Amino acid sequence: MSTFMMYQPLTSGSLIDHAARYHADTEIVSVNTRGGTERTTWQQVAHNAHRVASALDHLGVPSGARCATLAWNNRRHLEIYFGVGAGGRVTHTVNPRLSDEHLIYILNDAEDDVLFFDFSFCPLIQRLRPHLKTVKHYVLMEPHTDDIPEELAPLLFFDELLEHGDKNHRWPEFSETTPASLCYTSGTTGMPKGVLNTHRSLVLHTLSSNQPDGTGISARDCLLPVVPMFHVNAWGTPFIAAMVGARLVLPGAKLDGESLLQLLSSECITVAFGVPVIWANVLEALQNHPRPLPHFRRSFVGGAALSPAMTEIFETEHRIELVHAWGMTETSPIGTINAPLHRPQPLTEAHALTLKSGQGRPVFGIDLRLVDADGQTLPSDGKTRGYLQVRGHWVVGHYFNQDKSALTEDGWFDTGDIGTLDEHGYLILCDRAKDIIKSGGEWISTVELENVAVAHPEIQRAAAIGVTHPKWDERPVLICVRKSGSEVDEAALHLWFQARVPKWQIPDKILFIDTLPMSATGKVLKNELRHEYGQILMGART
Ligand code: ADP
């Protein structure tokens, strides 16, 4: 290797060390699982991260070992994030809302040595523990307490464990391609699959996604990641916050609209991150109990499609910008972020609105293309729909514990999404390939139907699904949740659709239910809806 320039490996330890050194007093606010709010600093978080690493050394946990977490967004989780990864082990974040079957599968597949967990998950641990084959150390993320069921013994307590740790411990030296964190997909089709991020991929993701046309977070920001630290590294927000020394507010377990609104206001949050349903709840809380949010400027929203109707209400009524972003576990997760381009010739209003509602354009380090069903590349003309493929510095190569590559023969990852791209890379996502409605050889985008539905002033939430049809293979059925007090009916919504979509895309049936089934990562569980309503058109006239 040439020595003309210094070489230093890109590691997560360098991020926390930077925060500790140059942003030592910047505050980290953490809502505790058992109530109350704790205030600490980047320096104290860094000291505890070093203590975590050295305590794991004392326990004899080998380098490279996976250390799982079942935890909310809080400061102990943050200390584990850095202490485990920078200490040469792998932080394996686990989504506690998965089924017991998937959790047991994931923890055994990852062969975790250590399992850190929050107090709320004591009952879950009691159920899982007899089935976990490799976990040697169970660590409750609390000070010592006797307030735990006997069946959980033997148990270590996080704060006691750290007493055996050394804040002056030094990070071990290793290559930047060493694994740092592991996250499994949600496994809506088949068993979950593990995506292993390396230190290099993680640092490059942090640097690139925080460019001005990306998340653009600075030391003057106060960040509220509502996206869970248990799924895809909370979209990288802990690492971005450390890199720039931003103030960080970790919201704990209470993620209802009112609790979040309280935090947004009392902690003077400037930037937040969350899935669309979180912002729908915040909006409802804002409408019920209006209060000024003078500091809150923007939120990054992804994980599921953000409806243009909600973006507009936030912007016009509250002067808060919702920025649409796209990604997935396999892309660490940030792929695209919606930032406008400089345009010498202004766009038409309709074109500008279309682009604004889309998922944005790739950040540096991500490359996108569309292909047809035979893998042939399709034009990026803003019109042609195709299967979206991606490649880049923080895109999965092969899944954990699987020998086979996850990529196409020419090195791209097939996202399972369908969309359009224009010449600048603006992505407009139509659907998951498994959700798009195939009606008589044409595709109908469920995202478009849902956007039309929630633009209706009396509809709170909506999900469109493809339902088996005797003549057309599939036809759209729309399942809606009304706003409270509304009695809007199928006929009225039918008229609403007639005015807004081509006739052949109007849902054949519109149903109303009280709540939509949702995953912990903010996605409507459409397979459950298809299971329930999949046959309701089989008696339909052809
Ligand atoms: P899983 O663990 O189930 O794979 P991910 O959190 O990785 O879940 O979800 C990735 C998927 O979420 C994407 O492939 C896409 O279908 C959907 N998604 C993510 N962001 C958006 C967005 N902004 N608009 C629409 N869908 C999105």
Side-chain angles (χ1 to χ4, degrees):
M1 191 188 298
S2 129
T3 52
F4 291 114
M5 300 299 280
M6 280 188 202
Y7 172 78
Q8 294 184 326
L10 302 169
T11 62
S12 68
S14 63
L15 298 174
I16 188 72
D17 286 349
H18 174 84
R21 180 142 188 214
Y22 299 109
H23 305 276
D25 299 335
T26 303
E27 197 177 43
I28 311 294
V29 181
S30 172
V31 178
N32 286 330
T33 310
R34 298 226 261 175
T37 301
E38 219 183 324
R39 287 168 198 276
T40 173
T41 62
W42 275 119
Q43 186 176 61
Q44 285 168 311
V45 166
H47 284 166
N48 278 354
H50 279 282
R51 288 188 179 103
V52 168
S54 102
L56 293 175
D57 290 347
H58 290 151
L59 282 180
V61 179
S63 57
R66 268 76 61 205
C67 301
T69 62
L70 276 164
W72 302 108
N73 292 13
N74 58 43
R75 70 93 187 155
R76 290 185 181 89
H77 206 174
L78 188 65
E79 292 162 1
I80 294 166
Y81 254 50
F82 287 103
V84 169
R89 302 173 180 93
V90 178
T91 318
H92 172 204
T93 54
V94 184
N95 175 351
R97 295 290 182 243
L98 297 179
S99 65
D100 285 12
E101 184 202 354
H102 279 185
L103 288 171
I104 292 166
Y105 171 81
I106 285 173
L107 290 156
N108 285 333
D109 188 58
E111 298 179 50
D112 292 295
D113 273 38
V114 182
L115 175 47
F116 294 98
F117 62 100
D118 260 337
F119 188 79
S120 353
F121 302 118
C122 286
L124 178 63
I125 299 296
Q126 258 177 280
R127 290 201 308 275
L128 300 182
R129 192 165 178 160
H131 306 281
L132 304 184
K133 299 187 183 128
T134 60
V135 178
K136 297 181 193 73
H137 310 285
Y138 288 82
V139 186
L140 179 61
M141 292 160 64
E142 289 277 323
H144 185 102
T145 169
D146 294 324
D147 179 20
I148 47 149
E150 255 175 45
E151 297 84 341
L152 278 179
L155 197 61
L156 299 171
F157 297 93
F158 186 84
D159 293 13
E160 273 184 352
L161 185 68
L162 261 56
E163 284 167 20
H164 303 288
D166 174 8
K167 80 173 167 64
N168 298 315
H169 151 279
R170 290 172 68 88
W171 302 129
E173 283 180 19
F174 46 74
S175 143
E176 63 185 20
T177 53
T178 303
S181 69
L182 175 64
C183 178
Y184 279 69
T185 61
S186 304
T188 38
T189 49
M191 277 303 188
K193 293 188 285 265
V195 176
L196 195 59
N197 305 124
T198 63
H199 282 267
R200 174 188 154 82
S201 73
L202 189 149
V203 173
L204 290 176
H205 177 267
T206 309
L207 285 166
S208 197
S209 57
N210 197 44
Q211 295 296 308
D213 279 350
T215 51
I217 285 154
S218 82
R220 295 174 301 285
D221 277 311
C222 178
L223 214 66
L224 176 72
V226 187
V227 284
M229 290 171 75
F230 63 65
H231 196 57
V232 248
N233 290 335
W235 300 355
T237 48
F239 302 111
I240 292 175
M243 179 182 73
V244 301
R247 184 166 174 267
L248 187 61
V249 177
L250 300 168
K254 284 173 88 182
L255 303 178
D256 59 287
E258 189 50 44
S259 305
L260 291 174
L261 196 51
Q262 187 73 36
L263 275 184
L264 286 165
S265 161
S266 63
E267 296 298 337
C268 306
I269 306 295
T270 60
V271 184
F273 288 73
V275 293
V277 67
I278 289 288
W279 300 108
N281 294 340
V282 168
L283 188 59
E284 207 178 323
L286 253 180
Q287 282 161 346
N288 292 339
H289 302 108
R291 81 195 68 172
L293 295 171
H295 304 278
F296 189 29
R297 290 180 284 116
R298 63 190 200 286
S299 177
F300 292 89
V301 187
L306 164 65
S307 79
M310 186 158 75
T311 310
E312 197 187 326
I313 299 182
F314 264 100
E315 210 163 288
T316 53
E317 294 182 17
H318 305 285
R319 294 187 23 252
I320 296 164
E321 189 188 4
L322 298 189
V323 184
H324 207 176
W326 166 88
M328 55 198 314
T329 310
E330 287 87 341
T331 63
S332 304
I334 292 180
T336 66
I337 297 188
N338 203 333
L341 285 172
H342 167 69
R343 306 261 181 188
Q345 302 296 328
L347 298 174
T348 62
E349 198 178 328
H351 193 179
L353 267 177
T354 308
L355 290 186
K356 195 172 169 198
S357 70
Q359 281 71 8
R361 54 196 171 83
V363 295
F364 166 77
I366 287 285
D367 206 1
L368 299 175
R369 73 174 183 188
L370 298 175
V371 299
D372 64 16
D374 301 322
Q376 297 302 311
T377 307
L378 292 170
S380 292
D381 56 9
K383 294 194 297 274
T384 310
R385 287 174 174 181
Y387 297 93
L388 180 69
Q389 298 191 339
V390 59
R391 65 179 180 189
H393 299 293
W394 48 88
V395 177
V396 70
H398 69 263
Y399 291 102
F400 182 70
N401 263 350
Q402 295 193 11
D403 298 331
K404 224 174 87 217
S405 164
L407 308 182
T408 61
E409 270 174 18
D410 59 347
W412 291 71
F413 177 75
D414 190 347
T415 65
D417 286 333
I418 291 176
T420 61
L421 290 173
D422 74 4
E423 74 272 30
H424 302 294
Y426 267 100
L427 167 68
I428 297 186
L429 214 86
C430 305
D431 242 317
R432 292 293 275 168
K434 62 182 162 55
D435 290 337
I436 202 160
I437 302 165
K438 290 141 196 131
S439 176
E442 297 284 346
W443 279 346
I444 302 176
S445 155
T446 64
V447 174
E448 276 172 34
L449 295 181
E450 289 156 10
N451 282 346
V452 171
V454 295
H456 189 284
E458 294 183 55
I459 296 299
Q460 173 80 357
R461 255 153 238 165
I465 53 168
V467 162
T468 317
H469 188 279
K471 178 171 178 191
W472 301 108
D473 293 339
E474 280 184 354
R475 288 293 301 153
V477 164
L478 186 75
I479 299 146
C480 297
V481 178
R482 295 186 183 97
K483 284 196 178 154
S484 72
S486 162
E487 291 183 0
V488 66
D489 62 7
E490 181 169 8
L493 268 186
H494 202 270
L495 285 175
W496 179 261
F497 270 93
Q498 263 181 15
R500 287 167 179 81
V501 301
K503 191 158 172 261
W504 62 276
Q505 295 190 7
I506 298 175
D508 280 24
K509 203 159 192 47
I510 299 174
L511 305 167
F512 298 91
I513 60 176
D514 291 338
T515 49
L516 291 175
M518 300 290 291
S519 77
T521 53
K523 294 176 176 60
V524 176
L525 296 169
K526 291 198 174 175
N527 45 353
E528 286 190 12
L529 293 175
R530 281 191 290 262
H531 183 69
E532 175 126 19
Y533 302 106
Q535 299 301 315
I536 57 170
L537 296 180
M538 283 313 275
R541 286 207 330 245
T542 57

